[in-house]
């Protein structure tokens, strides 16, 4: 006869695997969303160049959008995660003996999320800045 309970199971390996998967999905989705958004604005960049925008001004636009999207995503994700964790702890209080007194915050994982998200935004914004400068140079030469 095997006596087991939910709280006696060690799921550290599964948790690490899920966290790594979440980091990969975060980097891919964040970078892809920014890159596709910038590619969709190709015509807007051409209009800005036609109106006299310089490469530095286009770069400022790209970097500010990347920062705004990344930071707002981090804040909304943090709020949603905290709310979901709070609700789950309240719902599962009867399962745990004793129930947790406070929520556990995985600081190292949060730092990894911030670094990964920032890295994806940095790559997307750098790529778009380089691409838009190439287009500005070509447009200014009249080619």
């Amino acid at each position: 006869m095997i006596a087991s309970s939910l709280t006696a199971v060690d799921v550290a390996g599964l948790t690490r695997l899920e966290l790594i998967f979440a980091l990969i999905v975060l980097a891919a989705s964040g970078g892809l969303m920014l890159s596709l958004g910038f590619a969709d604005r190709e015509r807007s960049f051409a209009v800005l160049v036609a109106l006299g925008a310089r490469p530095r001004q286009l770069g400022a636009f790209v970097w500010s959008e990347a920062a705004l999207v990344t930071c707002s995503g981090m804040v909304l994700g943090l709020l949603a995660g905290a709310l979901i964790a709070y609700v789950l702890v309240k719902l599962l209080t009867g399962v745990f003996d004793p129930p947790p007194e406070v929520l556990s915050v995985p600081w190292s994982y949060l730092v990894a999320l911030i670094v990964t998200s920032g890295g994806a935004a940095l790559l997307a914004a750098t790529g778009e800045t380089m691409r838009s400068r190439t287009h500005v140079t070509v447009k200014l030469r009249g080619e």
Side-chain angles (χ1 to χ4, degrees):
M1 190 158 92
I2 298 173
S4 176
S5 72
L6 180 64
T7 57
V9 177
D10 183 22
V11 291
L14 181 62
T15 301
R16 262 188 241 104
L17 185 64
E18 288 176 345
L19 296 179
I20 290 169
F21 180 72
L23 288 172
I24 292 169
V25 168
L26 169 74
S29 63
L32 185 64
M33 199 246 355
L34 282 173
S35 295
L36 290 176
F38 291 143
D40 191 40
R41 288 187 190 74
E42 192 70 33
R43 187 178 187 142
S44 300
F45 291 152
V47 170
L48 289 172
V49 169
L51 292 173
R54 297 285 171 215
R56 187 176 190 149
Q57 292 168 326
L58 287 178
F61 176 75
V62 167
W63 286 104
S64 63
E65 181 178 351
L68 178 70
V69 168
T70 303
C71 291
S72 61
M74 285 182 193
V75 168
L76 290 174
L78 178 66
L79 291 175
L83 179 66
I84 290 170
Y86 177 77
V87 168
L88 284 174
V89 166
K90 287 297 180 186
L91 288 174
L92 296 174
T93 299
V95 174
F96 298 106
D97 187 32
E101 294 177 13
V102 294
L103 292 177
S104 174
V105 180
W107 292 109
S108 60
Y109 178 64
L110 289 177
V111 169
L113 283 174
I114 290 168
V115 169
T116 303
S117 178
L122 180 71
L123 285 174
T126 301
E128 182 55 35
T129 301
M130 291 172 59
R131 194 173 77 174
S132 67
R133 286 187 183 187
T134 304
H135 288 288
V136 169
T137 305
V138 169
K139 301 259 187 225
L140 290 177
R141 287 185 194 162
E143 297 175 1

